[in-house]
Amino acid sequence: GDPLPAPPCPSPPSSGAGAALARCGRRPTKVWGHVWRGAGQLGVSPSRRRAGSPAVLRCLPALAMAPAEILSGKIVSEQVRERLKQQVVEMKQKFPGFTPGLAILQVGNRDDSNLYIKVKLKTAAEIGISANHIKLPNTATEADVLKHIDALNGDPAVHGFIVQLPLDSDKPINTEKITNAVAPEKDVDGLSSINAGKLSRGDLGDCFIPCTPKGCMELIRQTGIQVAGKRAVVVGRSKIVGAPMHDLLLWNHATVTTCHSKTSTLAEEVGKADILVVAAGKAEMVKGEWIKPGAIVIDCGINHVPDSTKASGKRVVGDVEYSTAKEKASYITPVPGGVGPMTVAMLMQSTVESAQRFLEKFQPGKWNIQYNQLTLKVPVPSDIEISQSCIPKPIDQVAREIGLLPDEVELYGQTKAKVLLSALKRLKNQPDGKYVVVTGITPTPLGEGKSTTTVGLVQALGAHLHQNVFACVRQPSQGPTFGIKGGAAGGGYCQVIPMEEFNLHLTGDIHAITAANNLVAAAVDARIFHELTQTDQALYSRLVPSVNGVRKFSNIQIRRLQKLGINKTDPTALTKEEINLFVRLDIDPDTITWQRVLDTNDRFLRKITIGQSVTEKGFSRTAQFDITVSSEIMAVLALSDGLDDMKERLGRMVVASSKKGEPVTTDDLGVSGALAVLMKDAIKPNLMQTLEGTPVFVHAGPFANIAHGNSSVLADKIALKLVGKEGFVVTEAGFGADIGMEKFFNIKCRYSGLRPHVVVLVATIRALKMHGGGPAVTAGVPLPKEYMEENLQLLAKGCSNLNKQIQNARMFGVPVVVAVNAFKTDTKAELALVVQQAKAAGAFDAVECTHWAEGGKGALALAQAVQRASQTPSNFKFLYNVELPIIEKIRLIAQQVYGASDIELLPEAQEKVTLYTKQGFGNLPVCMAKTHLSLSHDPEQKGAPTGFILPIRDIRASVGAGFLYPLVGTMSTMPGLPTRPCFYDIDLDPVSGEVTGLF
């Protein structure tokens, strides 16, 4: 027949016995070794066994008749399983917590299917694959099966799954439809049309190959014979074996012929095959006499024929007549024990390959992100014009680009989504990226562009320096959006988009907080009312009602009993004294600190009277509304690191004191579980994007005076995992460094456990001139000429504020990069002076930024400086130990951060120190509620004042959030509307549906 050239060996004989044997087609693997051993078996002495020896040449006819070498699927599959086991071990070591997952979906209860599945489950367990068997009854419909397939397609723990065939159902089920419903990337059986199509096109690296053909190829490789250039014949054309086997051989460069039941010259075609694969389903159909001498024969058949010598009366044979074929073939697979064991091994191999592809695709820190190109215009258009001129990427695309799994994302339309906390759990073992906080000098009432700088910096790091980077920003209140401040999505060519979605409603988190907060307020007043108008027994009967003759405490009521030291669970077992303790919160109305909220600026709700209806039986009191973002629930949301933590914090919130001076919590009111339900979606960070296509988390928006003024801990934690070790997360702290940054360090970082690498301090020429003694800056009023013209003397004097804020940041052990946010009226000399002053004050670097007009390109120098600074040591430390007395913690902040000589506690504040220490809240961090317009308590004192006494008017507690907040002066928690609010300009185009007038 045609020659079968031997593969390379250390010293292949070019002539003589080795070459002759190769030409005869006998065992070309290790040819000379076979000749040596074969000649020895025929009696040739070692001294005469040499290449070209006549003695050896005379042996060749006898050697050519030696039986075929057995290709044992049991042995090879065991080798495959051992290799896979090691790969899984290495995978788990590299990705702690990760396990390859296989699911097997079965319909019905066929005995043969049960046996096959049992083997697969056992093999998977031996290798270290997590295998899940889903068994549906034989009454399952096609819709039932498709529903389960859809669930498995979306399950990130399942990397491969198979539908066990045949489907044993009483109902009609389209098998083709079922197999095609399996996601191609999980179709480890390789039966879907997409995988079949890819195989037929030769895309072998991007598809799954059916397990039996894949096993056949593995057995062929074991022979050492090169497939390329050989003649291959496949008998059978089934979708499971024949057709894919043809394609597999073809794309391994064999010349392939497929034969089937209609082939008229079957024996003739078989006789041409160097490689013969038979999958016809007919017992011993292919005879040995048909087979070409030296051919490789792979028998895929499993048939039962009568055999009186067997206890069962039958035996298993293949599609090839083994007894005669083995005398002609060089290699042959037995039946059983040949191809069969390989099928299961290949299923496991495909599952491991699928898991590897999953890890490669969703490897943390490996982003494949598409950035948006900006078309810059001069002059710069309005913010909303810029936002609406940019077509955002679909948010599910953004999620995929940054490595989020489909089941970790809940879409809210096309441009925003919520990210589930399961993402953090999946990524918990991954290293964090670099953590950057953006803050500012003491601002003018106009703000100095922290949000714009935050967005500009991430656009520069991402779209221009191609670093993985995330912005984490606060969600703005709608009150100021319609009031005087406008939106908070950044500005110019550095925005979060769509800016109207960002500024209005977003995904409803603030509305959820409004609902939760007001539920607490309603519960407080209702409880006081009911306690005033009912006896202990009447209260008890209503609080623990009989339902179908059974009285039972709820879980939250059992917690209250335990808090009271009553260890009883039977409502009928309480004594009268215990019932009194249980039903009476005895709230002192004068101590109520919990107010109702609304996300609207409304000055007439700052002081109200409630309970004036006759139905309230004369119980009325003075109360107030605050704006929603000032609610403690917002601070709880921002500081929680999970659902459990949020639930605990919500339960700890103190709403008032009892007449005995004991704190009354939402848990005491019985409302904390309901609050968690209202907040269950709000805890998920919101995913958006910048103008240049970098990802943004928008989550939580606590006040920066009575609260800590930072976005959520959860958003930062998820982002730090997603960006990878070399990536960056840039978050923003509200107001100036003396407020937002100090609270970021002492409160947020204390609770989160995160440690920052770099502080970016935003400064503007106009703010520094104001601190140098310039005229007052008022929102809505044109700037005085001092701010429009060069004035180096005024600027140099104002740099005292910049210097102090640099010192404040360095006090915490973190390198500082100053970003000078340039305006068109700033001169080169002014900008150079600020850069020089900043470096002299100890900044790591100081750079001019033009990102508002140029996008990320205008913040490139800033991004490069941040990169360099992040490589330097960050010796982060807290300013104070929480174990210190309350007064000492306040004093440290006042003296070290503000520059005060001392503090003065007014009588009400002194009383609160005593009360909170007694109630066990003395070890909480301190969150100073102070004006943001000065380092001191007086907004008129600019620059860097020193030697002043800081007055502490009162101290309040946000126990659930986890801090005390001393009041320095009067803090308004409900803004009012100006004479001409922003809403005059906001409108909706009824034709296009576009929002206009936002800024």
Side-chain angles (χ1 to χ4, degrees):
D2 294 336
L4 285 173
C9 59
S11 302
S14 58
S15 63
L21 185 61
R23 286 195 295 274
C24 288
R26 304 306 303 149
R27 318 234 218 317
T29 306
K30 301 179 182 177
V31 171
W32 185 244
H34 281 293
V35 172
W36 176 276
R37 288 190 298 274
Q41 291 165 4
L42 294 174
V44 180
S45 67
S47 62
R48 300 174 65 196
R49 288 181 235 165
R50 64 183 184 278
S53 164
V56 171
L57 289 172
R58 285 195 298 272
C59 294
L60 289 180
L63 288 174
M65 296 305 294
E69 190 168 325
I70 305 301
L71 288 173
S72 171
K74 291 181 179 179
I75 295 173
V76 177
S77 66
E78 179 59 32
Q79 295 169 351
V80 171
R81 290 198 299 272
E82 286 300 316
R83 183 181 74 241
L84 294 176
K85 188 185 296 186
Q86 184 58 36
Q87 288 177 359
V88 170
V89 168
E90 292 171 0
M91 200 181 297
K92 290 178 178 179
Q93 289 173 345
K94 187 175 181 181
F95 301 96
F98 179 83
T99 301
L102 170 68
I104 303 172
L105 181 61
Q106 179 186 9
V107 179
N109 194 35
R110 284 175 59 115
D111 290 339
D112 54 351
S113 291
N114 291 336
L115 179 61
Y116 297 149
I117 290 170
K118 184 178 179 180
V119 172
K120 292 168 186 174
L121 293 174
K122 181 183 177 184
T123 307
E126 290 172 354
I127 292 170
I129 295 170
S130 174
N132 181 24
H133 179 201
I134 303 100
K135 193 170 186 178
L136 304 182
N138 61 5
T139 55
T141 64
E142 185 175 273
D144 294 333
V145 179
L146 290 171
K147 182 179 178 181
H148 280 82
I149 289 175
D150 188 55
L152 291 168
N153 283 339
D155 187 346
V158 174
H159 307 106
F161 80 88
I162 66 170
V163 178
Q164 185 69 38
L165 300 177
L167 300 169
D168 178 24
S169 176
D170 295 342
K171 307 292 189 296
I173 298 180
N174 184 330
T175 301
E176 185 82 3
K177 185 176 181 180
I178 294 300
T179 54
N180 279 322
V182 177
E185 66 273 15
K186 296 188 178 186
D187 174 28
V188 288
D189 249 350
L191 300 182
S192 69
S193 296
I194 290 178
N195 277 319
K198 287 183 176 181
L199 174 58
S200 69
R201 291 178 47 173
D203 298 333
L204 303 189
D206 189 35
C207 71
F208 286 111
I209 298 162
C211 300
T212 299
K214 190 171 184 177
C216 293
M217 279 302 299
E218 185 65 28
L219 289 170
I220 293 169
R221 289 191 189 97
Q222 291 293 316
T223 68
I225 295 175
Q226 298 295 316
V227 174
K230 301 296 183 297
R231 289 176 179 267
V233 173
V234 178
V235 181
R237 54 182 175 181
S238 72
K239 294 179 181 178
I240 296 176
V241 182
M245 192 72 234
H246 173 281
D247 294 334
L248 197 52
L249 286 163
L250 178 67
W251 293 109
N252 276 274
H253 311 297
T255 301
V256 188
T257 300
T258 295
C259 299
H260 45 79
S261 60
K262 302 299 182 184
T263 303
S264 59
T265 56
L266 182 59
E268 181 181 338
E269 296 297 334
V270 167
K272 298 175 183 176
D274 300 323
I275 299 169
L276 176 64
V277 180
V278 186
K282 292 185 178 182
E284 300 183 324
M285 180 185 73
V286 175
K287 309 303 180 184
E289 63 199 53
W290 298 1
I291 296 172
K292 177 181 178 179
I296 299 170
V297 178
I298 307 295
D299 188 350
C300 302
I302 300 178
N303 309 284
H304 293 88
V305 296
D307 188 339
S308 59
T309 66
K310 302 291 183 182
S312 63
K314 57 185 178 180
R315 61 186 171 90
V316 176
V317 298
D319 291 351
V320 177
E321 191 177 65
Y322 182 78
S323 59
T324 57
K326 69 179 182 179
E327 301 302 328
K328 296 287 289 290
S330 60
Y331 293 89
I332 191 168
T333 58
V335 177
V339 174
M342 293 300 298
T343 300
V344 174
M346 292 300 102
L347 174 64
M348 300 303 139
Q349 181 167 308
S350 291
T351 301
V352 173
E353 288 171 0
S354 182
Q356 290 169 334
R357 291 178 190 177
F358 173 87
L359 289 171
E360 180 70 18
K361 183 177 180 181
F362 294 102
Q363 187 175 339
K366 185 176 180 180
W367 290 8
N368 181 20
I369 193 164
Q370 173 187 326
Y371 298 107
N372 297 331
Q373 290 286 109
L374 293 179
T375 303
L376 304 178
K377 293 183 179 180
V378 180
V380 176
S382 70
D383 289 352
I384 196 164
E385 284 181 78
I386 294 172
S387 174
Q388 293 177 346
S389 70
C390 176
I391 300 175
K393 295 180 289 186
I395 202 65
D396 58 337
Q397 176 186 332
V398 176
R400 287 195 304 273
E401 289 175 342
I402 60 176
L404 287 167
L405 305 182
D407 73 325
E408 293 170 345
V409 181
E410 292 177 351
L411 302 181
Y412 280 65
Q414 294 294 311
T415 57
K416 55 192 186 228
K418 280 197 166 290
V419 174
L420 276 64
L421 305 190
S422 57
L424 184 58
K425 183 179 179 181
R426 173 174 65 89
L427 300 166
K428 65 181 179 180
N429 294 311
Q430 300 304 317
D432 289 341
K434 305 295 177 60
Y435 199 25
V436 180
V437 60
V438 176
T439 185
I441 63 170
T442 305
T444 68
L446 305 178
E448 309 317 309
K450 292 193 307 297
S451 298
T452 304
T453 302
T454 298
V455 176
L457 174 57
V458 298
Q459 289 183 166
L461 283 166
H464 298 268
L465 295 180
H466 304 292
Q467 300 293 305
N468 291 353
V469 62
F470 234 111
C472 292
V473 299
R474 291 183 292 167
Q475 179 183 354
S477 166
Q478 282 183 180
T481 299
F482 289 104
I484 195 169
K485 183 178 182 292
Y493 287 103
C494 297
Q495 295 185 57
V496 180
I497 59 169
M499 65 95 77
E500 59 268 41
E501 299 282 352
F502 177 91
N503 287 301
L504 304 172
H505 303 298
L506 197 57
T507 57
D509 294 352
I510 290 180
H511 301 316
I513 292 167
T514 302
N517 184 99
N518 292 344
L519 180 61
V520 176
V524 170
D525 288 311
R527 188 59 177 261
I528 293 172
F529 171 78
H530 291 306
E531 287 188 25
L532 283 172
T533 57
Q534 297 180 57
T535 65
D536 288 358
Q537 193 57 51
L539 281 169
Y540 192 57
S541 296
R542 289 177 171 85
L543 287 170
V544 193
S546 175
V547 180
N548 296 325
V550 178
R551 300 183 75 182
K552 185 180 178 182
F553 291 120
S554 67
N555 290 335
I556 202 166
Q557 288 176 326
I558 290 174
R559 287 205 301 271
R560 172 151 173 78
L561 288 169
Q562 291 169 345
K563 179 179 178 181
L564 294 170
I566 303 170
N567 296 313
K568 296 177 181 178
T569 57
D570 181 1
T572 64
L574 268 63
T575 66
K576 286 185 177 181
E577 292 76 14
E578 289 170 340
I579 288 174
N580 174 267
L581 284 172
F582 176 72
V583 301
R584 298 283 171 188
L585 297 180
D586 205 20
I587 294 171
D588 181 353
D590 292 335
T591 66
I592 296 173
T593 55
W594 197 269
Q595 309 297 343
R596 289 164 172 80
V597 297
L598 194 68
D599 196 31
T600 303
N601 289 10
D602 191 344
R603 64 177 64 247
F604 283 91
L605 294 178
R606 290 170 177 167
K607 187 173 184 179
I608 59 172
T609 302
I610 61 172
Q612 291 189 323
S613 170
V614 294
T615 57
E616 310 330 310
K617 301 181 181 180
F619 171 65
S620 65
R621 66 181 181 89
T622 301
Q624 69 186 57
F625 269 82
D626 296 335
I627 198 159
T628 297
V629 291
S630 71
S631 169
E632 183 178 351
I633 296 177
M634 177 64 90
V636 165
L637 175 66
L639 289 171
S640 296
D641 69 359
L643 269 172
D644 287 347
D645 184 43
M646 182 181 73
K647 195 174 177 183
E648 288 177 12
R649 288 174 180 271
L650 290 171
R652 290 199 304 263
M653 295 188 303
V654 174
V655 298
S657 294
S658 70
K659 290 174 182 175
K660 293 180 181 178
E662 296 167 346
V664 177
T665 68
T666 53
D667 229 26
D668 294 325
L669 283 168
V671 75
S672 58
L675 299 182
V677 171
L678 285 170
M679 295 294 293
K680 69 180 179 65
D681 292 317
I683 197 172
K684 305 165 191 170
N686 303 297
L687 179 64
M688 296 188 76
Q689 63 191 289
T690 67
L691 283 166
E692 295 191 52
T694 58
V696 181
F697 273 142
V698 185
H699 199 217
F703 255 29
N705 47 26
I706 67 167
H708 64 293
N710 286 266
S711 60
S712 80
V713 165
L714 277 170
D716 290 0
K717 283 190 170 184
I718 296 173
L720 283 164
K721 297 296 184 186
L722 285 170
V723 297
K725 188 176 180 180
E726 302 303 318
F728 291 83
V729 171
V730 182
T731 190
E732 177 192 345
F735 292 156
D738 55 309
I739 299 180
M741 182 194 72
E742 181 270 318
K743 295 173 183 180
F744 171 81
F745 289 147
N746 282 322
I747 298 175
K748 184 176 182 180
C749 289
R750 194 185 300 271
Y751 281 121
S752 70
L754 300 173
R755 299 294 178 260
H757 293 81
V758 184
V759 170
V760 173
L761 185 69
V762 180
T764 62
I765 302 298
R766 74 182 180 198
L768 292 172
K769 286 181 177 178
M770 179 192 71
H771 287 296
V777 175
T778 306
V781 177
L783 287 170
K785 64 180 181 63
E786 287 85 350
Y787 299 103
M788 312 299 288
E789 299 171 355
E790 185 175 287
N791 191 325
L792 297 178
Q793 184 178 358
L794 198 64
L795 181 61
K797 186 179 177 184
C799 282
S800 61
N801 186 271
L802 173 65
N803 298 346
K804 174 58 178 167
Q805 299 288 32
I806 292 172
Q807 291 169 17
N808 283 342
R810 296 187 67 206
M811 186 191 311
F812 291 90
V814 185
V816 186
V817 175
V818 173
V820 186
N821 188 14
F823 288 70
K824 61 182 179 182
T825 54
D826 301 337
T827 67
K828 290 187 179 297
E830 288 175 329
L831 293 166
L833 176 61
V834 175
V835 168
Q836 181 269 321
Q837 288 274 339
K839 290 179 180 179
F844 175 86
D845 203 351
V847 294
E848 174 189 344
C849 303
T850 55
H851 46 275
W852 179 81
E854 296 183 301
K857 177 184 174 184
L860 261 177
L862 174 62
Q864 290 163 342
V866 166
Q867 279 184 301
R868 293 194 303 273
S870 72
Q871 302 300 322
T872 64
S874 175
N875 303 309
F876 175 74
K877 58 183 180 292
F878 297 118
L879 179 63
Y880 56 80
N881 188 323
V882 290
E883 303 295 326
L884 288 173
I886 296 171
I887 293 176
E888 289 308 309
K889 287 181 280 196
I890 297 171
R891 181 176 284 118
L892 273 171
I893 295 172
Q895 293 177 336
Q896 299 294 316
V897 179
Y898 304 156
S901 59
D902 207 349
I903 61 173
E904 178 188 12
L905 266 67
L906 301 184
E908 192 172 357
Q910 188 61 62
E911 289 174 12
K912 292 293 181 60
V913 169
T914 304
L915 174 66
Y916 292 146
T917 303
K918 176 186 174 185
Q919 292 180 337
F921 306 143
N923 291 340
L924 292 176
V926 168
C927 180
M928 302 292 286
K930 178 187 78 72
T931 179
H932 63 290
L933 297 174
S934 171
L935 280 162
S936 75
H937 57 287
D938 181 0
E940 300 304 317
Q941 287 194 50
K942 304 301 181 183
T946 57
F948 57 90
I949 304 294
L950 190 75
I952 310 300
R953 179 173 65 82
D954 193 6
I955 302 175
R956 294 178 186 168
S958 288
V959 179
F963 52 75
L964 303 175
Y965 59 100
L967 299 177
V968 182
T970 303
M971 291 292 116
S972 173
T973 51
M974 172 54 84
L977 290 173
T979 305
R980 192 185 189 283
C982 296
F983 60 62
Y984 275 89
D985 301 309
I986 297 171
D987 204 353
L988 182 71
D989 186 325
V991 177
S992 66
E994 287 189 344
V995 176
T996 60
L998 273 178
F999 70 94

